[in-house]
């Protein structure tokens, strides 16, 4: 299982919080690449509800990880 920013972006509009099956269904319905569906299928399912992409991909970069000053724009 691997994630990239591009793959994770397909889950930005997912119906958070969501269960694994709901995320897989969302990915399929929205036409996400097969890699997104495969990554979601590889998650160990213990009936968890995921609050956001960070619950699935802990290394997902946050706004603080990007070096730009929002006040300048």
């Amino acid at each position: 299982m691997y994630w990239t920013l591009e793959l994770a972006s397909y889950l930005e509009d997912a119906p958070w919080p969501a269960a694994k099956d709901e995320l897989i269904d969302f990915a399929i319905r929205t036409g996400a690449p097969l890699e997104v569906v495969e990554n979601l299928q590889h998650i160990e399912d213990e009936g968890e509800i995921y609050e956001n992409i960070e619950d699935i991909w802990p290394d997902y970069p946050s706004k603080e990880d990007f070096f730009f000053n929002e006040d300048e724009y």
Side-chain angles (χ1 to χ4, degrees):
M1 177 170 75
Y2 69 93
W3 287 100
T4 65
L5 286 175
E6 181 183 356
L7 294 176
S9 71
Y10 288 95
L11 296 178
E12 285 180 355
D13 295 328
W16 304 104
K20 174 184 171 180
D21 292 337
E22 293 172 324
L23 292 172
I24 291 170
D25 182 57
F26 174 80
I28 292 169
R29 284 186 294 113
T30 58
L34 184 59
E35 290 88 353
V36 174
V37 176
E38 289 174 349
N39 285 346
L40 292 170
Q41 289 173 339
H42 283 98
I43 296 173
E44 292 181 19
D45 189 18
E46 298 173 6
E48 277 185 68
I49 299 295
Y50 300 98
E51 297 294 325
N52 51 39
I53 188 67
E54 287 89 2
D55 289 348
I56 295 171
W57 183 28
D59 293 333
Y60 184 75
S62 64
K63 278 191 170 183
E64 292 84 38
D65 293 332
F66 296 101
F67 301 107
F68 64 89
N69 187 352
E70 290 182 354
D71 296 333
E72 292 179 8
Y73 299 101

